[in-house]
Amino acid sequence: MKSATIPSIRVEPAFRQQAESVLREDETLSSFVETAMSEAIDRRRMQSEFIARGIASRDEAARTGVYHAAADVHKDIVERLARSRKAKGK
């Protein structure tokens, strides 16, 4: 499959200099931009999935009438985390 190009964008010279100043050894501005876009795509996908799960959970709670207090959920999470840390410490 042929590769495609991303449209070029105009930026202020200072902004370009900032981007170039953080490049790692052997990293190009193009590879930096590609990595940044890839991470942004992944982050947006995860956000969309998180929102979808939240909406589904809300709908399920409305359907069943079963709700959980935030304090109870937080307590459960803290207990699970403590158990996990204790198990890893062994």
Coordinates of all heavy atoms in Angstrom, one line a residue:
M1 N 0.8 -1.2 0.0 CA 0.0 0.0 0.0 C 0.9 1.2 0.0 O 1.9 1.3 0.7 CB -0.9 0.0 1.2 CG -1.7 1.2 1.4 SD -3.2 1.0 2.4 CE -2.5 1.5 4.0
K2 N 0.5 2.2 -0.8 CA 1.3 3.5 -0.8 C 1.1 4.2 0.5 O 0.0 4.2 1.1 CB 0.8 4.3 -2.0 CG 1.2 3.9 -3.4 CD 0.8 4.9 -4.4 CE 1.3 4.6 -5.7 NZ 0.9 5.6 -6.7
S3 N 2.1 5.0 0.8 CA 1.9 5.9 2.0 C 1.3 7.1 1.5 O 1.3 7.5 0.4 CB 3.3 6.1 2.6 OG 4.1 6.8 1.7
A4 N 0.6 7.8 2.5 CA 0.0 9.1 2.2 C 0.7 10.2 3.0 O 1.4 9.9 4.0 CB -1.5 9.0 2.6
T5 N 0.4 11.4 2.7 CA 1.0 12.5 3.4 C -0.1 13.2 4.2 O -1.3 13.1 3.9 CB 1.6 13.5 2.4 OG1 0.6 14.0 1.6 CG2 2.7 12.9 1.6
I6 N 0.3 13.8 5.3 CA -0.5 14.6 6.1 C -0.4 16.1 5.6 O 0.7 16.5 5.3 CB -0.1 14.5 7.6 CG1 -0.1 13.1 8.1 CG2 -0.9 15.5 8.5 CD1 -1.5 12.5 8.2
P7 N -1.5 16.8 5.6 CA -1.4 18.2 5.1 C -0.4 19.0 5.9 O -0.4 18.8 7.2 CB -2.8 18.7 5.3 CG -3.7 17.5 5.4 CD -2.9 16.4 5.9
S8 N 0.4 19.8 5.3 CA 1.3 20.6 6.0 C 0.5 21.8 6.7 O -0.5 22.2 6.3 CB 2.3 21.2 5.1 OG 1.7 22.0 4.1
I9 N 1.1 22.2 7.8 CA 0.4 23.3 8.5 C 1.4 24.5 8.7 O 2.6 24.2 8.8 CB -0.1 22.9 9.9 CG1 1.0 22.3 10.7 CG2 -1.2 21.9 9.7 CD1 0.6 22.1 12.2
R10 N 0.9 25.7 8.7 CA 1.8 26.8 8.9 C 1.8 27.1 10.4 O 0.8 27.1 11.1 CB 1.2 28.0 8.2 CG 1.3 27.9 6.7 CD 1.6 29.3 6.1 NE 2.1 29.3 4.7 CZ 3.3 29.0 4.3 NH1 4.2 28.8 5.2 NH2 3.6 29.0 3.1
V11 N 3.0 27.3 10.9 CA 3.2 27.7 12.3 C 4.2 28.8 12.4 O 5.0 29.1 11.5 CB 3.7 26.5 13.1 CG1 2.7 25.3 13.2 CG2 5.1 26.0 12.6
E12 N 4.1 29.5 13.6 CA 5.1 30.5 13.8 C 6.5 29.9 13.9 O 6.6 28.8 14.4 CB 4.7 31.3 15.1 CG 3.4 32.0 15.0 CD 3.5 33.2 14.1 OE1 4.6 33.9 14.0 OE2 2.5 33.5 13.4
P13 N 7.5 30.7 13.5 CA 8.9 30.1 13.6 C 9.3 29.7 15.0 O 9.9 28.7 15.2 CB 9.8 31.3 13.1 CG 8.9 32.1 12.2 CD 7.5 31.9 12.8
A14 N 8.8 30.5 16.0 CA 9.1 30.2 17.4 C 8.5 28.8 17.8 O 9.2 28.0 18.6 CB 8.6 31.2 18.3
F15 N 7.3 28.5 17.3 CA 6.7 27.2 17.6 C 7.5 26.1 17.0 O 7.8 25.1 17.6 CB 5.3 27.2 17.1 CG 4.5 25.9 17.5 CD1 4.2 25.7 18.8 CD2 4.2 25.0 16.5 CE1 3.5 24.5 19.1 CE2 3.5 23.9 16.8 CZ 3.1 23.6 18.1
R16 N 7.9 26.3 15.8 CA 8.8 25.2 15.1 C 10.1 25.0 15.9 O 10.5 23.9 16.1 CB 9.0 25.6 13.7 CG 9.9 24.5 13.0 CD 10.2 24.9 11.5 NE 11.1 23.9 11.0 CZ 10.9 23.1 10.0 NH1 9.7 23.1 9.4 NH2 11.8 22.2 9.6
Q17 N 10.7 26.1 16.3 CA 11.9 26.0 17.1 C 11.7 25.3 18.4 O 12.5 24.5 18.8 CB 12.5 27.4 17.4 CG 13.1 28.1 16.2 CD 13.5 29.5 16.4 OE1 13.1 30.1 17.4 NE2 14.2 30.1 15.5
Q18 N 10.5 25.5 19.1 CA 10.2 24.8 20.3 C 10.1 23.3 20.0 O 10.7 22.5 20.7 CB 8.9 25.3 20.9 CG 9.0 26.6 21.5 CD 7.6 27.0 22.1 OE1 6.6 26.7 21.5 NE2 7.6 27.7 23.2
A19 N 9.5 22.9 18.9 CA 9.3 21.5 18.6 C 10.7 20.9 18.3 O 11.0 19.8 18.7 CB 8.4 21.4 17.4
E20 N 11.5 21.6 17.5 CA 12.8 21.1 17.1 C 13.7 21.0 18.4 O 14.6 20.1 18.4 CB 13.5 22.0 16.1 CG 12.8 21.8 14.7 CD 13.3 22.8 13.7 OE1 13.9 23.9 14.0 OE2 13.1 22.5 12.5
S21 N 13.5 21.8 19.4 CA 14.4 21.8 20.5 C 14.2 20.6 21.4 O 15.0 20.3 22.2 CB 14.2 23.1 21.4 OG 12.9 23.0 22.1
V22 N 13.1 19.9 21.3 CA 12.8 18.7 22.1 C 13.0 17.4 21.3 O 12.8 16.3 21.9 CB 11.4 18.8 22.7 CG1 11.2 20.0 23.6 CG2 10.3 18.7 21.6
L23 N 13.5 17.5 20.1 CA 13.7 16.3 19.3 C 14.8 15.5 20.0 O 15.8 16.0 20.4 CB 14.1 16.6 17.9 CG 13.0 17.3 17.0 CD1 13.6 17.6 15.6 CD2 11.8 16.4 16.9
R24 N 14.7 14.2 19.9 CA 15.7 13.3 20.5 C 16.7 13.0 19.4 O 16.5 13.3 18.2 CB 15.1 12.0 20.9 CG 14.1 12.2 22.1 CD 13.7 11.0 22.8 NE 12.9 11.3 24.0 CZ 11.7 11.0 24.2 NH1 11.1 10.2 23.3 NH2 11.1 11.3 25.3
E25 N 17.8 12.4 19.8 CA 18.9 12.1 18.8 C 18.3 11.2 17.7 O 17.6 10.3 18.0 CB 20.0 11.4 19.5 CG 21.3 11.2 18.7 CD 22.4 10.6 19.5 OE1 22.5 10.9 20.7 OE2 23.2 9.9 18.8
D26 N 18.6 11.5 16.5 CA 18.2 10.8 15.3 C 16.7 10.8 15.1 O 16.1 10.0 14.4 CB 18.6 9.3 15.4 CG 20.1 9.1 15.4 OD1 20.8 9.9 14.7 OD2 20.6 8.2 16.1
E27 N 16.0 11.8 15.8 CA 14.5 12.0 15.5 C 14.3 13.1 14.6 O 15.0 14.2 14.8 CB 13.8 12.2 16.9 CG 12.3 12.3 16.8 CD 11.6 12.5 18.1 OE1 12.2 13.2 19.0 OE2 10.6 12.0 18.3
T28 N 13.4 13.0 13.7 CA 13.1 14.1 12.7 C 11.8 14.7 13.2 O 11.0 14.2 13.9 CB 12.9 13.6 11.3 OG1 11.8 12.7 11.3 CG2 14.2 12.8 10.8
L29 N 11.6 15.9 12.7 CA 10.4 16.6 13.0 C 9.2 15.9 12.5 O 8.2 15.8 13.1 CB 10.4 18.1 12.4 CG 9.3 19.0 12.8 CD1 9.2 19.1 14.3 CD2 9.6 20.4 12.2
S30 N 9.4 15.2 11.3 CA 8.3 14.4 10.7 C 7.9 13.2 11.6 O 6.8 12.9 11.9 CB 8.7 13.9 9.3 OG 8.8 15.0 8.4
S31 N 9.0 12.5 12.1 CA 8.7 11.4 13.0 C 8.1 11.8 14.3 O 7.2 11.2 14.9 CB 9.9 10.6 13.2 OG 10.9 11.3 14.0
F32 N 8.5 13.0 14.8 CA 7.9 13.6 16.0 C 6.4 13.8 15.8 O 5.6 13.5 16.7 CB 8.7 14.8 16.4 CG 8.1 15.6 17.6 CD1 8.4 15.1 18.9 CD2 7.3 16.7 17.4 CE1 7.8 15.8 20.0 CE2 6.8 17.4 18.5 CZ 7.0 16.9 19.8
V33 N 6.1 14.5 14.7 CA 4.7 14.8 14.4 C 3.9 13.5 14.3 O 2.8 13.4 14.8 CB 4.6 15.7 13.2 CG1 3.2 15.9 12.7 CG2 5.2 17.1 13.5
E34 N 4.4 12.5 13.6 CA 3.7 11.3 13.4 C 3.5 10.6 14.7 O 2.4 10.1 15.0 CB 4.5 10.3 12.5 CG 3.8 9.0 12.2 CD 4.6 8.1 11.3 OE1 5.8 8.4 11.0 OE2 4.1 7.0 11.0
T35 N 4.5 10.6 15.6 CA 4.3 10.0 16.9 C 3.2 10.7 17.7 O 2.3 10.1 18.4 CB 5.6 10.0 17.7 OG1 6.5 9.2 17.0 CG2 5.4 9.4 19.1
A36 N 3.3 12.1 17.7 CA 2.3 12.9 18.4 C 0.9 12.6 17.9 O -0.1 12.5 18.7 CB 2.6 14.4 18.3
M37 N 0.7 12.5 16.6 CA -0.6 12.2 16.0 C -1.1 10.8 16.4 O -2.2 10.6 16.8 CB -0.6 12.3 14.5 CG -0.5 13.8 14.0 SD -0.6 13.9 12.2 CE -2.2 13.2 11.9
S38 N -0.2 9.8 16.4 CA -0.6 8.5 16.7 C -1.0 8.4 18.2 O -2.0 7.8 18.5 CB 0.6 7.6 16.5 OG 0.3 6.3 16.9
E39 N -0.3 9.1 19.1 CA -0.7 9.1 20.5 C -2.0 9.9 20.7 O -2.8 9.5 21.5 CB 0.4 9.8 21.3 CG 1.7 8.9 21.4 CD 2.9 9.6 22.0 OE1 2.8 10.8 22.4 OE2 3.9 8.9 22.2
A40 N -2.2 10.9 19.9 CA -3.5 11.7 20.0 C -4.7 10.8 19.6 O -5.8 10.8 20.1 CB -3.4 13.0 19.2
I41 N -4.4 10.1 18.5 CA -5.5 9.2 18.0 C -5.8 8.1 19.0 O -7.0 7.9 19.3 CB -5.0 8.5 16.7 CG1 -5.0 9.6 15.5 CG2 -6.0 7.4 16.3 CD1 -4.3 9.1 14.3
D42 N -4.8 7.5 19.6 CA -5.0 6.5 20.7 C -5.8 7.1 21.8 O -6.7 6.5 22.4 CB -3.7 5.9 21.2 CG -3.0 5.0 20.1 OD1 -3.7 4.6 19.2 OD2 -1.8 4.8 20.3
R43 N -5.4 8.3 22.3 CA -6.0 9.0 23.4 C -7.5 9.3 23.1 O -8.3 9.0 24.0 CB -5.2 10.2 23.8 CG -5.7 10.9 25.0 CD -4.8 12.1 25.4 NE -4.4 13.0 24.4 CZ -3.2 13.0 23.7 NH1 -2.3 12.2 24.1 NH2 -3.0 13.9 22.7
R44 N -7.8 9.8 21.9 CA -9.2 10.1 21.6 C -10.0 8.8 21.5 O -11.2 8.8 21.9 CB -9.2 10.8 20.3 CG -8.7 12.3 20.5 CD -9.0 13.1 19.3 NE -8.5 14.5 19.5 CZ -8.8 15.5 18.8 NH1 -9.5 15.3 17.7 NH2 -8.3 16.7 19.0
R45 N -9.4 7.7 21.0 CA -10.1 6.4 21.0 C -10.5 6.0 22.4 O -11.6 5.5 22.6 CB -9.3 5.4 20.3 CG -9.8 5.1 18.9 CD -9.1 3.8 18.3 NE -9.1 4.0 16.9 CZ -8.0 4.1 16.1 NH1 -6.9 3.8 16.7 NH2 -8.1 4.3 14.9
M46 N -9.5 6.0 23.2 CA -9.7 5.6 24.6 C -10.8 6.5 25.3 O -11.6 6.0 26.0 CB -8.4 5.7 25.4 CG -7.5 4.5 25.1 SD -6.0 4.4 26.2 CE -5.0 5.8 25.6
Q47 N -10.7 7.8 25.0 CA -11.7 8.7 25.6 C -13.1 8.3 25.1 O -14.1 8.3 25.9 CB -11.4 10.2 25.2 CG -10.2 10.8 26.0 CD -9.8 12.1 25.4 OE1 -10.2 12.5 24.3 NE2 -9.1 12.9 26.2
S48 N -13.2 8.1 23.8 CA -14.5 7.7 23.2 C -15.1 6.4 23.8 O -16.2 6.3 24.2 CB -14.4 7.6 21.7 OG -14.2 8.8 21.1
E49 N -14.2 5.4 24.0 CA -14.6 4.2 24.6 C -15.0 4.3 26.1 O -15.9 3.7 26.5 CB -13.4 3.1 24.5 CG -13.2 2.7 23.0 CD -11.9 2.0 22.8 OE1 -11.2 1.7 23.8 OE2 -11.6 1.6 21.7
F50 N -14.2 5.2 26.8 CA -14.5 5.5 28.2 C -15.9 6.1 28.3 O -16.7 5.7 29.1 CB -13.5 6.4 28.8 CG -13.7 6.8 30.2 CD1 -13.5 6.0 31.3 CD2 -14.3 8.1 30.5 CE1 -13.7 6.4 32.6 CE2 -14.5 8.5 31.8 CZ -14.2 7.7 32.8
I51 N -16.2 7.1 27.4 CA -17.5 7.7 27.5 C -18.6 6.7 27.1 O -19.7 6.7 27.8 CB -17.5 9.0 26.5 CG1 -16.6 10.1 27.1 CG2 -18.9 9.5 26.3 CD1 -16.3 11.2 26.1
A52 N -18.4 5.9 26.1 CA -19.4 4.9 25.7 C -19.7 4.0 26.9 O -20.8 3.6 27.2 CB -18.9 4.1 24.5
R53 N -18.6 3.5 27.6 CA -18.8 2.7 28.8 C -19.6 3.4 29.9 O -20.5 2.8 30.5 CB -17.5 2.2 29.4 CG -16.8 1.1 28.5 CD -15.6 0.4 29.3 NE -14.7 1.4 29.9 CZ -13.6 1.9 29.3 NH1 -13.4 1.6 28.0 NH2 -12.8 2.7 29.9
G54 N -19.3 4.7 30.1 CA -20.0 5.4 31.1 C -21.5 5.6 30.7 O -22.4 5.4 31.6
I55 N -21.8 5.8 29.5 CA -23.2 6.0 29.0 C -23.9 4.6 29.2 O -25.1 4.6 29.6 CB -23.2 6.5 27.6 CG1 -22.8 8.0 27.6 CG2 -24.6 6.4 27.0 CD1 -22.6 8.6 26.2
A56 N -23.2 3.6 28.8 CA -23.9 2.2 28.9 C -24.1 1.9 30.4 O -25.2 1.4 30.7 CB -23.0 1.2 28.3
S57 N -23.2 2.3 31.3 CA -23.4 2.0 32.7 C -24.6 2.9 33.2 O -25.4 2.4 34.0 CB -22.1 2.4 33.4 OG -22.3 2.2 34.8
R58 N -24.6 4.1 32.8 CA -25.7 5.0 33.2 C -27.1 4.4 32.8 O -28.0 4.3 33.5 CB -25.6 6.4 32.6 CG -26.7 7.3 32.9 CD -26.8 8.4 31.9 NE -27.1 7.9 30.6 CZ -27.1 8.6 29.5 NH1 -26.7 9.9 29.5 NH2 -27.3 8.1 28.3
D59 N -27.1 3.9 31.5 CA -28.4 3.4 31.0 C -28.7 2.1 31.7 O -29.9 1.8 32.0 CB -28.2 3.1 29.5 CG -28.1 4.4 28.7 OD1 -28.4 5.5 29.2 OD2 -27.7 4.3 27.5
E60 N -27.7 1.3 32.0 CA -28.0 0.0 32.8 C -28.5 0.3 34.2 O -29.5 -0.3 34.7 CB -26.7 -0.8 32.8 CG -26.9 -2.1 33.6 CD -27.8 -3.1 32.9 OE1 -28.2 -2.9 31.7 OE2 -28.1 -4.2 33.5
A61 N -27.9 1.3 34.8 CA -28.4 1.7 36.2 C -29.9 2.2 36.1 O -30.7 1.9 36.9 CB -27.5 2.8 36.8
A62 N -30.2 3.0 35.1 CA -31.5 3.5 34.9 C -32.5 2.4 34.6 O -33.6 2.4 35.1 CB -31.6 4.6 33.8
R63 N -32.0 1.4 33.9 CA -32.9 0.3 33.5 C -33.2 -0.6 34.7 O -34.3 -1.0 35.0 CB -32.2 -0.5 32.4 CG -33.1 -1.7 31.9 CD -32.4 -2.5 30.8 NE -31.3 -3.3 31.4 CZ -31.5 -4.4 32.1 NH1 -32.7 -4.9 32.4 NH2 -30.4 -5.1 32.6
T64 N -32.1 -0.9 35.5 CA -32.3 -1.8 36.6 C -32.6 -1.1 37.9 O -33.1 -1.8 38.9 CB -31.0 -2.6 36.9 OG1 -29.9 -1.7 37.2 CG2 -30.6 -3.4 35.6
G65 N -32.4 0.2 38.0 CA -32.6 0.9 39.3 C -31.5 0.7 40.3 O -31.7 1.1 41.5
V66 N -30.4 0.0 39.9 CA -29.3 -0.3 40.8 C -28.3 0.8 40.7 O -27.7 0.9 39.6 CB -28.7 -1.7 40.6 CG1 -27.5 -2.0 41.5 CG2 -29.8 -2.8 40.8
Y67 N -28.0 1.5 41.7 CA -27.0 2.6 41.7 C -26.1 2.3 42.9 O -26.4 1.6 43.9 CB -27.7 3.9 41.9 CG -28.5 4.4 40.7 CD1 -29.9 4.0 40.7 CD2 -28.0 5.1 39.7 CE1 -30.7 4.4 39.6 CE2 -28.8 5.5 38.7 CZ -30.1 5.1 38.6 OH -30.9 5.5 37.5
H68 N -24.8 2.8 42.8 CA -23.8 2.6 43.8 C -23.3 4.0 44.2 O -23.0 4.8 43.4 CB -22.7 1.8 43.3 CG -23.1 0.4 42.8 ND1 -23.3 -0.6 43.7 CD2 -23.4 -0.1 41.6 CE1 -23.7 -1.7 43.0 NE2 -23.8 -1.4 41.7
A69 N -23.2 4.2 45.5 CA -22.7 5.5 46.0 C -21.2 5.6 45.7 O -20.5 4.6 45.8 CB -22.9 5.5 47.5
A70 N -20.8 6.8 45.3 CA -19.4 7.0 45.0 C -18.5 6.6 46.1 O -17.4 6.0 45.9 CB -19.2 8.5 44.6
A71 N -18.8 6.9 47.3 CA -18.0 6.6 48.5 C -17.8 5.1 48.6 O -16.7 4.6 48.9 CB -18.6 7.1 49.8
D72 N -18.8 4.3 48.3 CA -18.7 2.8 48.3 C -17.7 2.3 47.2 O -16.9 1.4 47.4 CB -20.0 2.2 48.2 CG -20.9 2.4 49.4 OD1 -20.4 2.7 50.5 OD2 -22.2 2.3 49.2
V73 N -17.9 2.9 46.0 CA -17.0 2.5 44.9 C -15.6 2.9 45.2 O -14.7 2.1 45.0 CB -17.5 3.2 43.6 CG1 -16.5 3.0 42.5 CG2 -18.9 2.8 43.2
H74 N -15.3 4.1 45.8 CA -14.0 4.5 46.1 C -13.4 3.6 47.2 O -12.2 3.2 47.1 CB -14.0 5.9 46.6 CG -14.2 6.9 45.5 ND1 -14.4 8.3 45.7 CD2 -14.4 6.8 44.1 CE1 -14.6 8.9 44.6 NE2 -14.6 8.0 43.6
K75 N -14.2 3.2 48.2 CA -13.7 2.3 49.2 C -13.3 1.0 48.6 O -12.2 0.4 49.0 CB -14.8 2.1 50.3 CG -14.4 1.3 51.4 CD -15.5 1.1 52.4 CE -15.2 0.1 53.5 NZ -16.3 -0.3 54.3
D76 N -14.1 0.5 47.7 CA -13.8 -0.8 47.1 C -12.5 -0.7 46.3 O -11.7 -1.6 46.3 CB -15.0 -1.2 46.2 CG -14.7 -2.6 45.5 OD1 -14.4 -3.6 46.2 OD2 -14.8 -2.7 44.3
I77 N -12.3 0.4 45.6 CA -11.1 0.5 44.8 C -9.9 0.6 45.7 O -8.8 0.0 45.4 CB -11.2 1.8 43.9 CG1 -12.3 1.6 42.8 CG2 -9.9 2.2 43.3 CD1 -12.6 2.8 42.0
V78 N -10.0 1.3 46.8 CA -8.8 1.4 47.7 C -8.5 0.1 48.3 O -7.3 -0.3 48.4 CB -9.2 2.4 48.8 CG1 -8.2 2.4 50.0 CG2 -9.2 3.9 48.3
E79 N -9.5 -0.7 48.6 CA -9.3 -2.1 49.2 C -8.7 -3.0 48.1 O -7.7 -3.7 48.4 CB -10.6 -2.7 49.7 CG -11.1 -2.0 50.9 CD -12.5 -2.4 51.3 OE1 -13.2 -3.1 50.5 OE2 -13.0 -2.0 52.3
R80 N -9.1 -2.9 46.9 CA -8.5 -3.7 45.8 C -7.1 -3.4 45.6 O -6.2 -4.2 45.4 CB -9.3 -3.6 44.5 CG -10.6 -4.2 44.5 CD -11.3 -4.0 43.1 NE -12.7 -4.5 43.1 CZ -13.3 -4.7 42.0 NH1 -12.8 -4.4 40.8 NH2 -14.6 -5.1 42.0
L81 N -6.8 -2.1 45.6 CA -5.4 -1.6 45.4 C -4.5 -2.1 46.5 O -3.4 -2.5 46.3 CB -5.4 -0.1 45.3 CG -4.1 0.6 45.0 CD1 -3.5 0.1 43.7 CD2 -4.3 2.1 44.9
A82 N -5.0 -2.0 47.7 CA -4.2 -2.4 48.9 C -3.9 -3.9 48.8 O -2.8 -4.4 49.0 CB -5.0 -2.1 50.2
R83 N -4.9 -4.7 48.4 CA -4.7 -6.2 48.2 C -3.7 -6.4 47.1 O -2.8 -7.3 47.3 CB -6.0 -6.9 47.9 CG -6.9 -7.1 49.1 CD -8.0 -8.1 48.9 NE -8.9 -7.7 47.7 CZ -10.0 -7.0 47.8 NH1 -10.4 -6.4 48.9 NH2 -10.7 -6.7 46.7
S84 N -3.8 -5.7 46.0 CA -2.9 -5.9 44.9 C -1.5 -5.6 45.3 O -0.5 -6.3 45.0 CB -3.3 -5.0 43.7 OG -2.4 -5.1 42.7
R85 N -1.3 -4.5 46.0 CA 0.0 -4.0 46.5 C 0.6 -5.1 47.5 O 1.8 -5.4 47.4 CB 0.0 -2.7 47.1 CG -0.2 -1.6 46.1 CD -0.2 -0.2 46.8 NE -0.2 0.9 45.8 CZ -0.7 2.1 46.0 NH1 -1.2 2.4 47.2 NH2 -0.7 3.0 45.0
K86 N -0.2 -5.6 48.3 CA 0.2 -6.6 49.3 C 0.7 -7.8 48.6 O 1.7 -8.4 48.9 CB -0.9 -6.9 50.3 CG -0.5 -7.8 51.4 CD -1.6 -7.9 52.5 CE -1.1 -8.9 53.6 NZ -2.2 -9.1 54.6
A87 N -0.1 -8.3 47.6 CA 0.2 -9.5 46.9 C 1.5 -9.3 46.1 O 2.3 -10.3 46.0 CB -0.9 -9.8 45.9
K88 N 1.8 -8.1 45.5 CA 3.0 -7.9 44.8 C 4.2 -7.8 45.7 O 5.3 -8.2 45.3 CB 2.9 -6.6 44.0 CG 2.0 -6.7 42.8 CD 2.0 -5.4 42.0 CE 1.2 -5.5 40.8 NZ 1.2 -4.3 40.0
G89 N 4.0 -7.4 47.0 CA 5.0 -7.3 47.9 C 5.5 -8.6 48.4 O 6.6 -8.8 49.0
K90 N 4.8 -9.7 48.2 CA 5.1 -11.0 48.7 C 6.1 -11.7 47.8 O 6.3 -11.5 46.7 CB 3.9 -11.9 48.8 CG 3.0 -11.5 50.0 CD 1.9 -12.5 50.2 CE 1.0 -12.1 51.4 NZ -0.1 -13.0 51.6

